Amino acid sequence: MHPFEYVEATDPAAAIHAAGEGAQSVFFAGGTTLIDLMKLDVMTPAKLVDVNHLPFSSIEEQPDGILIGANVRNSDLAHHATIREQYPVLSEALLAGASAQLRNMASTGGNLLQRTRCTYFRDINSACNKRQPGSGCDAITGVNRMHAILGTSDYCIATHPSDMCVALVALDAVIHTQMHNGTKRQIPITEFYLLPGETPERETVLNRAELITHVHLPANPMARRSHYLKVRDRASYEFALASAAVALETKGQTITRASVALGGVGTVPWRSKEAEAALTGKPAERVTFEAAADAALAPAKPQHHNAFKIELAKRTLVLALEELMARSF
Amino acid sequence: MGQIATPNPTSATVSVTLRINGEERNLQLDPRTTLLDALREQLALSGSKKGCDQGQCGACTVHINGQRVLACLSLAIAHQHDEITTIEGLADGGELHPMQAAFIECDGFQCGYCTPGQIMSAVAMLEEAARQIPSHADELSLEEIRERMSGNICRCGAYPNIVEAIRHAQTIGKKGRS
């Protein structure tokens, strides 16, 4: 691990100021991604600004939704009574991710910035445009069974690893940030992540030293009827091969509104407006779900080892919708 | 602004105070030192084990403020305000914690390397279950125990007896409370 300066921030402005000094500064929250990647020399920050003591640890119920502090731990968010009742997809996604120990450590803000598990990104001896722009992509010609089939480019096919973010995309969460001069902004999560394109090293729209302070979940009656289904190589404690976050509103047997996001298959947490369009106005039955799955995966581009993910993601989405409809409300 | 620790590019150390198993311990350490390395290499608390050293095996599980976490992905310098409990702090004097006793009773290990992490994880797990999901507080199913313990890998595959030990400890705990 490279040497670094450690700074414990006591207020947001000081944290942002500290992170703005020097190009190699990063915020440090749960550390579950950062410390891991620092040990591998994949990340070599010169300064860690510890934001764990900033006052962003509460979950506030507001008239227009729920405001989640960036420091709220994944476990606390997953077990929060209102989240479980009104946004079950988020609780389920969180509990499907990592292990209990990691969920106790990982923060909401940090999970949004979780880095890919691409083995070539994690190995400094491999070519990786995300880690070292211009060096190439060993994953495209290498072992790419776990890699993305949606949103890829000739520069990068790394999968976004988060479960939480897939649920947040389906819930139209809004990310609140604060910047150097005190400026704050609110970024819809659907506009937060950048497709790799020719610059896979740029993963989000965040500026340098821009601090995530909160995540807002808009009030959404449909979210009560939501579900997360994750398919993976092990029964637990494993990243997704495919996952689906779904929410439905029905009138009689007809779907009047739908929200669909996919995980484990995209370079970013993947919202499928195509699937939503295929569901809306149609009867809530298997034929409709299969049509939505076909629509969601129509843009998929498989690599040498991961063509199976197309069918797997379709079946995952269909099963997620069937399981959701089978629940009583 | 709170503490600032600036290392020289070489190996400057900083002064760090940790509260471990109820005792304050003063250390001089490189800011890069993980909590696991501080425990094992500087404090001779070698019960917490280094398996993968990258947050994938659970052998280094300790409690920070009562929560189970991974010491290998924690920086020692970042936990100066916290109450840290390791496997060495679990027993009450000469009396084993019920979970430790249950692991012996049920033969919940083979080589024993993952055992401290398994036990620390299991103790916190039962507390989580009691706190968070009241409807499940009576008795966790085998499936639930396995899911909740999935962050602790046992290379020997002693899982059936580990699960049995946890159920046993849960029963003892109930009897003890009633």
Side-chain angles (χ1 to χ4, degrees):
Chain A
M1 197 187 292
H2 288 228
F4 56 83
E5 178 187 2
Y6 170 85
V7 177
E8 187 184 296
T10 48
D11 69 83
I16 293 160
H17 180 75
E21 298 171 322
Q24 296 291 314
S25 303
V26 294
F27 294 118
F28 167 67
T32 53
T33 288
L34 181 61
I35 301 301
D36 180 30
L37 292 178
M38 284 169 67
K39 287 184 181 185
L40 296 170
D41 287 343
V42 170
M43 293 182 77
T44 55
K47 187 197 287 184
L48 261 59
V49 180
D50 186 339
V51 295
N52 286 297
H53 303 284
L54 300 185
F56 304 129
S57 300
S58 63
I59 300 172
E60 292 172 39
E61 297 181 40
Q62 302 178 329
D64 63 342
I66 294 188
L67 191 65
I68 304 160
N71 282 339
V72 171
R73 270 26 196 183
N74 285 178
S75 48
D76 293 330
L77 187 56
H79 293 297
H80 192 270
T82 308
I83 299 293
R84 288 172 61 192
E85 184 189 317
Q86 295 183 18
Y87 304 88
V89 66
L90 178 55
S91 180
E92 291 170 17
L94 284 160
L95 292 177
S99 67
Q101 290 96 316
L102 289 163
R103 293 193 292 268
N104 281 340
M105 302 171 75
S107 71
T108 305
N111 196 323
L112 288 168
L113 302 179
Q114 196 182 345
R115 307 299 301 275
T116 182
R117 304 299 296 190
C118 172
T119 47
Y120 302 97
F121 171 75
R122 291 171 60 83
D123 169 22
I124 58 168
N125 297 306
S126 296
C128 171
N129 290 318
K130 186 185 280 296
R131 176 169 34 74
Q132 197 180 345
S135 64
C137 174
D138 277 349
I140 289 174
T141 51
V143 178
N144 45 42
R145 177 173 176 272
M146 298 296 290
H147 287 73
I149 51 173
L150 290 165
T152 58
S153 74
D154 291 341
Y155 293 78
C156 184
I157 58 170
T159 312
H160 194 280
S162 172
D163 294 295
M164 180 192 85
C165 298
V166 181
L168 290 181
V169 163
L171 294 170
D172 285 304
V174 178
I175 297 159
H176 294 202
T177 69
Q178 189 172 326
M179 286 176 279
H180 201 52
N181 48 10
T183 315
K184 297 180 179 181
R185 62 170 176 159
Q186 302 185 359
I187 310 162
I189 192 167
T190 45
E191 297 167 20
F192 183 73
Y193 294 103
L194 299 171
L195 289 170
E198 296 180 10
T199 55
E201 73 279 11
R202 289 205 64 213
E203 297 181 348
T204 72
V205 298
L206 287 180
N207 297 308
R208 201 163 69 77
E210 184 170 2
L211 178 68
I212 297 171
T213 60
H214 301 87
V215 174
H216 186 255
L217 294 181
N220 178 3
M222 178 171 72
R224 281 178 177 268
R225 194 179 204 176
S226 64
H227 178 43
Y228 190 75
L229 178 66
K230 178 175 179 178
V231 177
R232 43 192 159 172
D233 282 331
R234 298 193 291 197
S236 182
Y237 197 18
E238 180 59 280
F239 290 91
L241 287 169
S243 71
V246 293
L248 287 180
E249 188 180 82
T250 53
K251 194 172 181 184
Q253 280 305 301
T254 305
I255 299 166
T256 49
R257 237 179 107 208
S259 189
V260 174
L262 300 174
V265 288
T267 52
V268 298
W270 195 261
R271 181 73 177 262
S272 180
K273 290 286 180 188
E274 298 90 341
E276 292 168 12
L279 291 166
T280 308
K282 304 290 193 321
E285 60 190 29
R286 190 177 175 94
V287 178
T288 304
F289 301 158
E290 287 173 346
D294 286 341
L297 275 301
K301 184 188 170 202
Q303 304 295 326
H304 190 64
H305 300 109
N306 67 3
F308 76 98
K309 277 193 175 187
I310 297 177
E311 183 60 24
L312 185 67
K314 286 183 186 178
R315 293 185 189 187
T316 303
L317 177 54
V318 169
L319 185 57
L321 290 163
E322 285 187 328
E323 286 182 355
L324 180 62
M325 287 306 296
R327 289 185 184 176
S328 56
F329 288 91
Chain B
M1 192 61 67
Q3 174 164 356
I4 297 182
T6 312
N8 289 326
T10 51
S11 59
T13 60
V14 292
S15 179
V16 169
T17 304
L18 296 176
R19 192 167 169 77
I20 299 167
N21 300 330
E23 262 182 64
E24 291 223 332
R25 307 291 294 265
N26 296 307
L27 297 171
Q28 282 291 322
L29 47 78
D30 184 309
R32 292 173 288 184
T33 310
T34 61
L35 177 58
L36 180 62
D37 283 340
L39 292 170
R40 290 180 56 83
E41 307 298 334
Q42 300 205 30
L43 296 168
L45 293 170
S46 55
S48 307
K49 295 293 185 275
K50 185 181 277 192
C52 68
D53 205 26
Q54 51 181 350
Q56 296 184 8
C57 78
C60 66
T61 302
V62 298
H63 298 174
I64 295 185
N65 301 328
Q67 302 251 40
R68 50 175 164 162
V69 299
L70 301 177
C72 79
L73 291 184
S74 303
L75 290 177
I77 195 174
H79 292 286
Q80 300 200 74
H81 315 278
D82 298 325
E83 192 74 43
I84 299 159
T85 307
T86 69
I87 187 76
E88 291 89 348
L90 205 56
D92 184 6
E95 192 177 341
L96 292 179
H97 184 282
M99 189 66 74
Q100 292 173 307
F103 266 69
I104 293 171
E105 172 81 21
C106 300
D107 205 12
F109 48 85
Q110 288 180 35
C111 84
Y113 196 81
C114 73
T115 310
Q118 298 278 2
I119 290 175
M120 294 306 285
S121 188
V123 168
M125 186 272 282
L126 288 186
E127 285 167 11
E128 287 163 15
R131 194 170 66 240
Q132 288 157 352
I133 306 180
S135 63
H136 290 161
D138 286 348
E139 189 160 306
L140 291 167
S141 69
L142 292 177
E143 201 180 332
E144 278 173 303
I145 292 174
R146 295 177 77 95
E147 165 59 30
R148 287 164 180 270
M149 289 294 293
S150 69
N152 292 82
I153 309 296
C154 170
R155 204 197 67 167
C156 302
Y159 297 113
N161 290 10
I162 291 171
V163 172
E164 200 46 46
I166 293 169
R167 296 188 84 167
H168 188 57
Q170 198 179 16
T171 314
I172 295 170
K174 273 204 189 71
K175 281 180 187 156
R177 281 200 299 272
S178 59

